């Protein structure tokens, strides 16, 4: 009896130590974050172990483990849900059941997942889309796209752009009863990156006559030039999205060659001939004072030109929307950007807010203290539920 109790006690202490994660005082429901992080750590370790054994890429394993989150397209008393394709790109469409009094609003949504995993069928995205469709009496198109490491940039961008252009065709909008003057785009994390990139691209496409009314970006990834922003320094080991994982996502977006990841981690991946573009992502001039917090700006060290020659995508504005010049930015629609305190991507969003405002774009910025990357996906948490409601309320008022 004594031995069993002792062994159980030791096992319990080990499990508690594995789960426990020191968190800031202003984080709500810390035990839920700890449990989430423990699950995430376990799948990450298993994925890395499989990679070390040479079984497959760790991102493929993570995608395998995350598939349990998927739910089928199930209609309810409020919303009709079905899967279809837009020009061969899989999409899930949400249409309110109630009879419309006029043409409906339309929202094109792009899921996150570091360009490597994720799906519009995940329960969290499915629930968010249902809520949005019902509350706004709007048609929601939630798109999928091909993922790394099997597919690299610009495939993800092209898939999303293809589906968006299909949705914006006048005949398609008419078929779904959508008002062409009230169509918006949104996405979170890597989906926010793709939303920002395709919104910029639309400005240069003469074939698209319908303009987006709003873009709503939820903690978007907007640049890979500088991996030494204050938000990366402060949150490098915060649960859910660490600096090392974000760098891995970025590098996998372009190649499975780990030399790019290594160069990004040391912030020495940008070639000398592209150094001039750092002014577009210079946090010392673009971040509000309260977010600099005494950090010292370090002039980035340029890297080898060989990586840029092999994988030019990481220098492309379609991958890093913050690299767009002011002439392009000034024509963007009303923009809503959500940033979170404990998120390596916080400063990407903050810098985009500054650059858009400097270019004359109307921007609404919501910075959420105590929130972390992925908050909107965790609707079972109080802060996730509040932030999702805030997001939907803004769309209701502005779309």
């Amino acid at each position: 009896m004594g031995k069993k109790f002792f062994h159980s006690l030791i096992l319990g202490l080990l499990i508690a130590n594995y789960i426990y994660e020191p968190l800031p005082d202003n984080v709500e429901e810390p035990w839920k974050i700890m449990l989430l992080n423990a699950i995430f750590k376990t799948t990450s370790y298993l994925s890395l172990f499989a990679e070390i054994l040479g079984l497959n890429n760790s991102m493929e394993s993570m995608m395998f483990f995350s598939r349990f989150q998927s739910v089928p397209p199930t209609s309810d008393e409020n919303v009709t849900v079905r899967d279809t394709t837009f020009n061969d790109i899989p999409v899930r469409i949400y249409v309110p059941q109630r009879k419309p009094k006029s043409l409906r609003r339309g929202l094109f949504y792009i899921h996150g997942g570091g360009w490597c995993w994720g799906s519009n069928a995940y329960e969290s995205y499915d629930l968010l889309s249902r809520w949005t469709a019902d509350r706004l009496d709007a048609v929601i198109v939630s798109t999928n796209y091909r993922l790394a490491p099997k597919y690299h940039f610009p495939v993800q961008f092209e898939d999303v752009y293809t589906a968006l252009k299909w949705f914006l065709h006048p005949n398609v909008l008419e078929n779904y009863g959508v008002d062409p003057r009230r169509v918006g785009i949104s996405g979170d994390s890597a989906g926010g990156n793709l939303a920002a990139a395709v919104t910029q691209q639309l400005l240069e496409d003469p074939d698209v006559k319908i303009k987006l009314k709003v873009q709503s970006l939820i903690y978007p990834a907007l640049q890979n030039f500088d991996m030494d922003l204050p938000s990366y320094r402060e949150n490098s080991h915060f649960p859910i999205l660490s600096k090392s994982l974000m760098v891995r996502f970025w590098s996998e977006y372009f190649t499975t060659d780990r030399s790019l990841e290594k160069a990004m981690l040391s912030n020495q991946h940008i070639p000398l001939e592209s150094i001039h573009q750092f002014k577009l992502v210079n946090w010392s001039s673009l971040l509000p004072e309260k977010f600099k917090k005494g950090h010292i700006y370090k002039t980035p060290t340029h890297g080898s030109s060989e990586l840029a020659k092999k994988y030019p995508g990481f220098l492309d504005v379609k991958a890093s929307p913050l690299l767009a010049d002011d002439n392009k930015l000034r024509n963007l629609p009303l923009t809503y950007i959500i940033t979170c305190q404990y998120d390596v991507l916080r400063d990407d969003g903050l810098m985009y807010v500054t650059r858009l405002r400097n270019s004359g774009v109307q921007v609404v910025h919501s910075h959420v203290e105590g929130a972390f990357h992925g908050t909107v996906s965790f609707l079972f948490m109080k802060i996730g539920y509040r932030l999702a409601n805030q997001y939907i309320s803004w769309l209701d008022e502005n779309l």
Side-chain angles (χ1 to χ4, degrees):
M1 183 70 178
K3 277 188 176 182
K4 285 185 178 179
F5 175 77
F6 179 73
H7 290 157
S8 298
L9 179 63
I10 294 299
L11 180 61
L13 289 172
L14 289 173
I15 293 173
N17 183 66
Y18 180 75
I19 293 174
Y20 178 74
E21 187 79 33
L23 295 170
D25 293 338
N26 67 337
V27 171
E28 292 183 68
E29 301 177 300
W31 62 273
K32 287 186 179 179
I33 300 177
M34 291 181 199
L35 287 173
L36 278 171
N37 194 51
I39 295 169
F40 191 74
K41 280 195 302 184
T42 302
T43 56
S44 296
Y45 292 154
L46 290 172
S47 298
L48 287 172
F49 184 61
E51 185 172 80
I52 291 169
L53 293 178
L55 299 178
N56 58 18
N57 185 293
S58 66
M59 295 294 109
E60 292 175 317
S61 297
M62 288 295 288
M63 183 62 185
F64 172 79
F65 287 125
S66 67
R67 283 177 181 165
F68 76 92
Q69 301 177 52
S70 296
V71 295
T74 307
S75 300
D76 57 30
E77 67 275 13
N78 298 315
V79 181
T80 298
V81 184
R82 71 184 184 94
D83 287 343
T84 186
T85 59
F86 279 2
N87 204 8
D88 297 326
I89 306 300
V91 298
R92 180 167 289 189
I93 300 179
Y94 301 78
V95 180
Q97 293 271 24
R98 59 186 178 274
K99 188 176 180 180
K101 297 178 181 178
S102 60
L103 290 176
R104 288 188 163 110
R105 294 173 282 187
L107 183 70
F108 187 87
Y109 193 89
I110 311 162
H111 71 76
W115 309 279
C116 296
W117 35 284
S119 169
N120 60 5
Y122 282 7
E123 186 174 16
S124 57
Y125 290 121
D126 183 75
L127 185 55
L128 182 63
S129 294
R130 286 174 187 275
W131 285 1
T132 308
D134 186 39
R135 290 237 330 243
L136 271 62
D137 191 26
V139 174
I140 311 299
V141 174
S142 182
T143 190
N144 270 344
Y145 47 91
R146 286 171 289 178
L147 300 169
K150 186 175 182 180
Y151 302 98
H152 299 293
F153 175 86
V155 169
Q156 291 84 343
F157 171 89
E158 291 171 346
D159 282 359
V160 170
Y161 196 64
T162 296
L164 176 61
K165 283 187 66 174
W166 186 270
F167 182 49
L168 291 178
H169 193 281
N171 291 342
V172 176
L173 293 178
E174 182 180 4
N175 182 51
Y176 286 101
V178 173
D179 187 340
R181 299 165 300 176
R182 305 183 73 185
V183 181
I185 190 169
S186 185
D188 67 292
S189 193
N193 166 280
L194 292 165
V198 297
T199 301
Q200 290 182 7
Q201 185 66 21
L202 280 177
L203 300 175
E204 301 176 350
D205 193 334
D207 295 332
V208 181
K209 307 302 181 184
I210 293 170
K211 304 300 181 185
L212 296 173
K213 186 177 181 183
V214 302
Q215 63 171 336
S216 179
L217 312 177
I218 305 171
Y219 32 76
L222 297 169
Q223 61 85 36
N224 63 68
F225 261 49
D226 192 351
M227 298 297 186
D228 192 37
L229 306 176
S231 57
Y232 273 99
R233 297 175 188 177
E234 295 168 13
N235 303 298
S236 60
H237 299 292
F238 200 85
I240 310 302
L241 185 64
S242 64
K243 175 180 178 176
S244 60
L245 179 57
M246 190 62 227
V247 169
R248 179 70 186 268
F249 281 149
W250 270 119
S251 64
E252 291 284 349
Y253 190 23
F254 307 110
T255 176
T256 53
D257 181 351
R258 302 296 293 277
S259 63
L260 178 59
E261 177 190 3
K262 183 178 179 181
M264 283 183 164
L265 275 172
S266 62
N267 216 32
Q268 296 180 7
H269 56 293
I270 305 301
L272 179 61
E273 53 269 28
S274 297
I275 286 291
H276 65 282
Q277 291 183 287
F278 272 105
K279 67 178 183 292
L280 301 173
V281 296
N282 186 331
W283 63 261
S284 67
S285 62
L286 294 172
L287 287 184
E289 286 298 324
K290 64 176 284 190
F291 294 102
K292 296 178 186 178
K293 299 176 182 175
H295 290 283
I296 306 297
Y297 182 76
K298 298 178 183 177
T299 303
T301 304
H302 68 82
S304 166
S305 297
E306 291 304 310
L307 280 174
K309 290 176 182 176
K310 286 183 182 178
Y311 317 112
F314 72 83
L315 302 176
D316 196 318
V317 67
K318 294 184 183 71
S320 294
L322 257 170
L323 298 181
D325 61 39
D326 293 343
N327 290 329
K328 177 183 286 189
L329 295 182
R330 66 170 52 101
N331 295 312
L332 290 171
L334 169 63
T335 300
Y336 181 53
I337 296 178
I338 294 175
T339 57
C340 296
Q341 181 180 8
Y342 302 115
D343 183 3
V344 294
L345 297 180
R346 180 195 70 202
D347 293 348
D348 282 23
L350 290 170
M351 290 193 293
Y352 205 41
V353 169
T354 300
R355 291 210 54 216
L356 289 176
R357 285 177 174 164
N358 289 346
S359 299
V361 177
Q362 186 180 354
V363 182
V364 177
H365 174 220
S366 175
H367 179 70
V368 188
E369 294 290 316
F372 55 95
H373 192 84
T375 294
V376 172
S377 293
F378 304 125
L379 298 172
F380 57 88
M381 298 184 68
K382 293 176 183 177
I383 193 168
Y385 182 81
R386 287 200 309 270
L387 190 52
N389 272 290
Q390 176 183 311
Y391 159 79
I392 295 171
S393 294
W394 186 89
L395 288 171
D396 194 23
E397 293 172 7
N398 294 280
L399 180 59

